[in-house]
Amino acid sequence: MSVQEAKLPFYAPPPAAPAAARGGVHTLRRPLRVVLAAVLSLTLVHYLGLVAHLSGNASRPTLAVPLRAQEYLDKCQLLAVKPGPPPHFHTRTHSDRFVPGSPPTLITNASIWTGRDNGREVIHGDLLLLGGIIRRVGHLHHSALDAFGDLKRIDAKGRWVSSGIVDLHSHLGVDPSPELDGTSDGNSLKGPIQPWLRALDAFNTHDESLATSIAGGVTTSLILPGSANAIGGQGVIIKLRRTAGRSPTSMLLESPYETNRTLYDPAVSFRYRQMKHACGENPDGIYGFTRMDTTWAFRSAYEKARQIKHAQDEFCSKAVQGEWAGLGEFPEDLQWEALVDVLRGRVKVHNHCYETVDLDDMVRLTNEFKFSIAAFHHAHETYLVPETLKAAYGHPPAVALFATNARYKREAFRGSEFAPKILADNGLQVVMKSDHSVLDSRFLLYEAQQAHYYGLPPNLALAAVTSTPARIMGQDHRIGYVSEGYDADVVLWDSHPLALGATPAQVWIDGIAQIATPYAHTKPAAFQVAPKTPNFDAEAKETLEHDGLPPLEPKRSRADVVVVFTNVGSVYLREGQSVREAFVADAADALHAGVVVVRGGKVDCIGSATSACATSVHGDEDAEFVDLEGGALSPGLVTVGSPLGLEEITAEESTIDGYVLDPLTQVVPEIAGGDGLLVRAADGLQFGTRDALLAYRSGVTTGIVAPQSSGFLAGLNAAFSTGARHKLEPGALVQEVGGLHVAIHPVGTPSVSTQIAALRRLLLGGASATGELKRFVANVQRGDAPLVVSVESADAIASVVALKAEAEAHLHRAIRVTLVGATEAHLLARELGHAAVGVVVSQTRPFPTYWEKRRILAGPPLSETNAISTLLAHNVTVAVGVVEAWMARNTRLDIAWAALESGGEITKADALALASVNVEQLLGIATDGLQADLVATRGGDLLGFNKVVGVVSPRRGVVDLF
């Protein structure tokens, strides 16, 4: 744009600058431009007044031009500026975020996933980071690098490089970790419509998860207000790198709030803003609304914005013609200006919206008020109604999803792991997001890995956390790709980004390395290529045919049918309190592939294709053959720590068992047992829940669950089959009573010390408890049953360990104590080993959610090892667990990841034990090898992205096939 054109009063979009002008006039120095603009503006105002005066008749009074006329004309001009990067953005030689003194970096011999060609382009070569941007990609000659004396060189050794991970939905900083009352700023509860609020005003740079998210490769995040309100306010885009300024503003990417016109001139290019909308259960629940109320709130707000926009348009159409009479002041309202800009297409709307009814409401709203939605977030039913999304005004919204997180409330009940694939098949843009800290954004890439496993093509899976979210937030001109001229936000991975457990070897933001001392372990060669994934087309089709709720019950073999598993690569079996590899095929010899024959739900024999086992099936027998294609049979996994088996939809009270009364803080009615009440989880078990059946289909065949409690005393756990139809079915209830569960957490009242005192009285026999509680405590005192303590803090753990020693001295015998949760247990690994205290680590990838969990052992690349390996190294019996029911299905991936982080210290057999025999031992469940389930996987073993195709259940006498 020329200098003259820059200040002309216009309301239509500015004409394109002539080619000559692009290389000449526009490069005039800014002071000269400002002087010329001021002179032209003053001349224009006098000219308009003179024209108005001369064109009127002599009897009319002189038209008064407002003193603020030029200000109003400038505002009118700005209304027509379209959002996007400034001209010639990619000709820059330095980033606006470049830190002077940062050395250039050359990454050589890399496999570079550029993001180009719809995510299909891979370049094997070098990468030069200079001035905070990517200067070169490809094969660089040494002569081109001679000018860089301080060049830092890194040999990638063929490993993968991608752009930094981009999170389209995060609450980093506005709901920081650890969670404290003094820093909870994500939601305002002052009203359902608040477009004037800004996440920037609440962003806390002391959030401890900024560093951990970087360690997962996240370089850019869209920070959104929460979803309590229909319109919750404006989001901001940040780079996660801490700056010398230490301020929230210094972390912004292309701040739309920048007022220094030497840094940002909105008359040249307008920066996108971001805004949060939410519909459905959240705003309805907060304000006691129905969906009709919330939709009306939206319509009312947009009508207000439309009226302001119309008034501005009317004002400007007259002002640019010099028709100042009666115009008054420029119509604007600070509270509503952002929503007006939504109608002008200059704000990206991010809409928390789940169900079909809400999606349809919002699509109608876009067409009524003529604005576009950038993305529907969470959006668990979008895959059911792709045509509805395509009917939205302007363009179909993208869809930002979780991979497997669902069923936590009614509107998430139909969530499907196949949604990313189905949406992509329908031509819609798919994004995987964290909603940090709902999911730890450090592991956002894991969401893409799971989406790929369930059918999303690899190019789109990786794009879903890089280039696609960059495009949706309007930043794909500078982030999301490894391309010359783009920001130097790149990640060097220790394995293929879609391989399970892929971990950054280093992360650069603005060309600056972010991890001072990265730790890494050598991964198997197979992890350097994209994982081969199963075909789930039939399951995805069935999901659509059943409106998102496909039947999950397995096909069961008849008792008289022999099931023969062929082409078996390996077999792992329980042996006492351990797991051993019982058979492994010679991969080079097809005749040595394994055969496993199952009769009556029990393994009859195991052998090679030329063994007697292979010929033991007679021709007159009714047999079903299952080709595992090099797969495996492994012990069924066991899950603990979540309410799996006691709930269907977490937030719906009518679908859950509920919470027990706690005698430490509540009066328990005598009819229930008074202070002697001891609740059994077995009495509240629900069979056939979707989370249980999905876990079963993923190789988790047994659940151990304790009564849900928000206090000190929970009750007695139970073990159950996740694949059973009901409690009375043979083998459904594995064990009615296992261990006694209590909890020690800082809740204010009662104090932690009070909770420890109560536990002391129970263990030492001084409590006034009666009835079943007293009887079962006696079992704990004899060592016949474990005391299971939910605890996180190292300080509280130390008190439990000391109390165990005190009780054993008093009782003159050893007692069994198991810790569950135990985020900070690694700090006391030696003491726990000496005290023979077992630990169920849940979650396996820790996060400092609360103050009691803040001292995490993060694992690579931030620490050499993880908590599981540290505890095992000190002879602690370790198992793994989860905290929410939907997580149980991913147990096999959790233990596989833990093994990968151990640097070979945890074998496959050890990993399987973490989620099978060790769990049962620590929770007081007695299951011998004859009773244990076996899980059949096709294409590989249970510890990877392979498909579970069957379960052999001796205790139920069946083989379930999927």
Side-chain angles (χ1 to χ4, degrees):
M1 183 182 297
S2 69
V3 176
Q4 290 80 5
E5 290 169 334
K7 297 304 293 182
L8 283 177
F10 64 88
Y11 189 54
R22 296 189 189 111
V25 179
H26 84 283
T27 60
L28 290 174
R29 293 185 177 180
R30 189 165 189 83
L32 179 58
R33 292 179 63 196
V34 172
V35 171
L36 289 174
V39 171
L40 288 170
S41 299
L42 184 60
T43 302
L44 175 65
V45 170
H46 285 292
Y47 170 75
L48 289 174
L50 179 62
V51 170
H53 172 71
L54 294 176
S55 62
N57 56 49
S59 63
R60 292 176 57 186
T62 302
L63 175 63
V65 177
L67 293 176
R68 299 172 63 189
Q70 184 56 48
E71 176 189 341
Y72 297 155
L73 290 171
D74 288 344
K75 289 184 177 182
C76 289
Q77 175 183 333
L78 287 177
L79 296 182
V81 180
K82 300 300 181 184
H88 313 298
F89 178 82
H90 287 121
T91 64
R92 60 182 181 153
T93 59
H94 289 78
S95 167
D96 52 335
R97 295 178 50 83
F98 172 63
V99 177
S102 302
T105 299
L106 177 67
I107 305 171
T108 62
N109 191 28
S111 300
I112 305 169
W113 186 86
T114 68
R116 297 293 184 187
D117 188 23
N118 198 28
R120 295 185 178 89
E121 182 182 64
V122 175
I123 296 174
H124 299 284
D126 311 323
L127 189 65
L128 177 63
L129 312 180
L130 175 65
I133 63 175
I134 299 170
R135 290 294 294 272
R136 295 287 186 275
V137 180
H139 295 283
L140 306 183
H141 296 289
H142 291 293
S143 59
L145 305 171
D146 292 342
F148 308 110
D150 58 346
L151 185 65
K152 185 170 184 179
R153 298 172 184 264
I154 296 173
D155 185 356
K157 300 179 180 178
R159 291 176 295 179
W160 287 87
V161 169
S162 75
S163 71
I165 301 299
V166 180
D167 193 352
L168 192 67
H169 187 139
S170 176
H171 302 292
L172 273 167
V174 295
D175 282 317
S177 303
E179 182 180 313
L180 296 168
D181 290 343
T183 58
S184 181
D185 290 313
N187 282 297
S188 168
L189 302 181
K190 303 300 182 182
I193 303 294
Q194 300 187 79
W196 46 85
L197 299 183
R198 305 184 302 183
L200 175 62
D201 300 325
F203 186 78
N204 189 324
T205 59
H206 299 301
D207 189 335
E208 293 185 11
S209 48
L210 285 166
T212 56
S213 294
I214 290 174
V218 180
T219 57
T220 304
S221 291
L222 171 56
I223 310 303
L224 293 168
S227 53
N229 300 312
I231 301 180
Q234 301 167 45
V236 287
I237 304 171
I238 66 160
K239 292 280 193 83
L240 273 65
R241 174 177 66 83
R242 292 189 184 274
T243 65
R246 302 185 181 182
S247 68
T249 301
S250 67
M251 297 177 70
L252 295 185
L253 176 63
E254 294 198 354
S255 170
Y257 309 119
E258 178 60 63
T259 58
N260 185 340
R261 290 299 179 255
T262 64
L263 300 177
Y264 167 45
D265 186 353
V268 175
S269 62
F270 201 88
R271 292 175 174 175
Y272 275 112
R273 282 187 287 177
Q274 319 286 324
M275 185 176 290
K276 178 69 176 292
H277 286 11
C279 49
E281 292 184 32
N282 282 23
D284 290 358
I286 293 293
Y287 295 102
F289 282 3
T290 66
R291 282 176 163 81
M292 294 182 289
D293 296 312
T294 301
T295 303
W296 174 245
F298 274 121
R299 295 182 68 209
S300 297
Y302 271 102
E303 176 59 17
K304 174 70 173 179
R306 187 198 64 77
Q307 291 174 1
I308 295 173
K309 177 181 180 293
H310 178 73
Q312 291 175 348
D313 293 347
E314 289 289 306
F315 180 97
C316 291
S317 66
K318 294 180 179 179
V320 297
Q321 299 298 324
E323 299 173 6
W324 296 103
L327 275 185
E329 295 188 359
F330 181 79
E332 58 185 342
D333 188 323
L334 183 61
Q335 282 191 301
W336 297 99
E337 58 83 22
L339 203 61
V340 174
D341 256 5
V342 170
L343 299 181
R344 296 194 183 282
R346 305 198 295 188
V347 178
K348 297 280 191 175
V349 173
H350 300 271
N351 196 171
H352 162 120
C353 205
Y354 286 77
E355 286 194 273
T356 299
V357 58
D358 300 313
L359 298 166
D360 193 53
D361 287 345
M362 294 307 300
V363 166
R364 286 201 311 275
L365 189 74
T366 68
N367 286 295
E368 181 179 1
F369 291 97
K370 304 297 186 287
F371 72 94
S372 294
I373 293 174
F376 281 124
H377 292 238
H378 305 312
H380 282 59
E381 292 190 13
T382 48
Y383 72 97
L384 296 172
V385 289
E387 296 307 314
T388 295
L389 273 61
K390 294 177 183 179
Y393 181 79
H395 58 78
V399 185
L401 299 162
F402 295 130
T404 53
N405 184 4
R407 292 165 297 283
Y408 44 87
K409 55 182 175 177
R410 169 61 183 81
E411 59 190 6
F413 190 59
R414 294 174 191 266
S416 172
E417 60 271 37
F418 308 117
K421 166 190 165 49
I422 294 170
L423 289 164
D425 287 348
N426 280 274
L428 295 167
Q429 297 182 89
V430 174
V431 173
M432 308 309 295
K433 53 93 174 78
S434 75
D435 193 13
H436 183 97
S437 58
V438 172
L439 298 182
D440 183 356
S441 62
R442 177 184 175 188
F443 303 112
L444 176 54
L445 183 61
Y446 179 43
E447 297 299 292
Q449 293 166 359
Q450 293 175 83
H452 175 46
Y453 171 64
Y454 288 112
L456 187 65
N459 58 310
L460 298 183
L462 196 46
V465 291
T466 52
S467 55
T468 305
R471 183 185 315 118
I472 301 309
M473 63 173 66
Q475 295 295 323
D476 58 328
H477 58 283
R478 65 182 299 168
I479 62 172
Y481 296 86
V482 180
S483 188
E484 293 178 7
Y486 275 68
D487 286 12
D489 300 347
V490 297
V491 183
L492 173 62
W493 300 96
D494 68 354
S495 51
H496 190 285
L498 293 179
L500 180 67
T503 300
Q506 186 54 274
V507 178
W508 289 265
I509 301 180
D510 303 319
I512 302 171
Q514 296 298 298
I515 306 174
T517 307
Y519 296 93
H521 296 293
T522 302
K523 299 284 182 69
F527 281 65
Q528 296 302 327
V529 297
K532 183 181 178 181
T533 57
N535 187 312
F536 286 103
D537 287 350
E539 289 87 345
K541 180 181 178 182
E542 189 176 33
T543 297
L544 292 175
E545 289 173 349
H546 290 84
D547 203 22
L549 296 175
L552 299 174
E553 294 77 10
K555 168 193 169 186
R556 293 183 173 169
S557 64
R558 302 193 316 268
D560 59 340
V561 173
V562 178
V563 178
V564 182
F565 295 99
T566 63
N567 287 325
V568 179
S570 60
V571 177
Y572 290 86
L573 298 175
R574 293 174 178 237
E575 189 173 75
Q577 293 300 318
S578 64
V579 174
R580 66 178 178 89
E581 186 178 63
F583 173 85
V584 60
D586 183 352
D589 187 350
L591 294 178
H592 284 81
V595 173
V596 177
V597 177
V598 180
R599 288 185 170 89
K602 297 180 181 179
V603 174
D604 186 63
C605 63
I606 302 171
S608 69
T610 58
S611 68
C613 182
T615 59
S616 65
V617 180
H618 304 295
D620 59 349
E621 286 188 284
D622 191 357
E624 183 166 0
F625 291 83
V626 180
D627 185 354
L628 294 189
E629 301 174 12
L633 275 86
S634 310
L637 302 182
V638 184
T639 184
V640 69
S642 79
L644 185 74
L646 293 179
E647 68 173 29
E648 181 72 276
I649 304 174
T650 308
E652 294 288 343
E653 291 185 350
S654 64
T655 73
I656 68 174
D657 176 54
Y659 288 80
V660 302
L661 295 170
D662 180 22
L664 186 58
T665 58
Q666 298 168 296
V667 176
V668 181
E670 284 300 322
I671 193 172
D675 289 343
L677 172 67
L678 190 59
V679 177
R680 298 186 178 196
D683 295 333
L685 284 176
Q686 300 179 28
F687 287 83
T689 67
R690 298 194 72 78
D691 278 322
L693 291 172
L694 287 166
Y696 191 67
R697 284 173 164 263
S698 300
V700 180
T701 63
T702 302
I704 301 176
V705 64
Q708 293 190 76
S709 171
S710 57
F712 168 72
L713 180 62
L716 302 176
N717 69 40
F720 65 98
S721 169
T722 56
R725 295 184 176 94
H726 55 78
K727 187 195 297 187
L728 302 181
E729 183 178 282
L733 192 58
V734 177
Q735 187 169 312
E736 187 172 6
V737 170
L740 172 62
H741 287 247
V742 299
I744 308 292
H745 296 292
V747 293
T749 302
S751 66
V752 169
S753 50
T754 301
Q755 296 168 55
I756 294 291
L759 185 56
R760 177 179 289 109
R761 292 196 70 202
L762 280 177
L763 289 178
L764 301 186
S768 59
T770 59
E772 189 170 4
L773 176 58
K774 184 175 183 178
R775 289 192 294 273
F776 201 86
V777 167
N779 291 342
V780 173
Q781 292 170 329
R782 290 192 300 270
D784 295 335
L787 174 69
V788 184
V789 185
S790 172
V791 63
E792 302 288 355
S793 161
D795 300 303
I797 291 172
S799 293
V800 172
V801 172
L803 179 56
K804 179 179 186 288
E806 181 182 348
E808 289 174 339
H810 177 79
L811 298 168
H812 305 292
R813 64 175 65 91
I815 63 173
R816 298 159 59 188
V817 173
T818 296
L819 310 179
V820 174
T823 298
E824 296 187 353
H826 62 93
L827 297 172
L828 297 168
R830 182 175 61 86
E831 291 79 5
L832 291 168
H834 288 163
V837 174
V839 176
V840 178
V841 176
S842 56
Q843 300 163 290
T844 56
R845 295 179 295 282
F847 180 74
T849 314
Y850 305 113
W851 189 260
E852 63 177 336
K853 301 173 65 174
R854 72 190 185 281
R855 293 174 289 189
I856 65 172
L857 186 60
L862 295 179
S863 63
E864 186 172 6
T865 189
N866 56 28
I868 293 172
S869 295
T870 300
L871 292 165
L872 288 172
H874 288 85
N875 298 315
V876 178
T877 300
V878 180
V880 301
V882 298
V883 295
E884 296 180 46
W886 67 269
M887 297 176 175
R889 69 187 300 181
N890 293 326
T891 298
R892 63 194 181 112
L893 303 179
D894 292 340
I895 56 178
W897 199 324
L900 288 168
E901 288 189 338
S902 75
E905 293 298 318
I906 299 176
T907 66
K908 285 187 177 182
D910 295 334
L912 291 168
L914 289 174
S916 57
V917 293
N918 289 12
V919 182
E920 294 174 348
Q921 177 186 348
L922 294 178
L923 274 295
I925 305 302
T927 303
D928 59 34
L930 293 177
Q931 295 176 301
D933 297 329
L934 284 175
V935 176
T937 48
R938 177 174 288 136
D941 58 42
L942 191 57
L943 303 182
F945 289 127
N946 303 301
K947 193 172 188 178
V948 174
V949 295
V951 173
V952 179
S953 183
R955 63 172 168 255
R956 292 189 294 130
V958 298
V959 176
D960 288 333
L961 299 176
F962 308 120

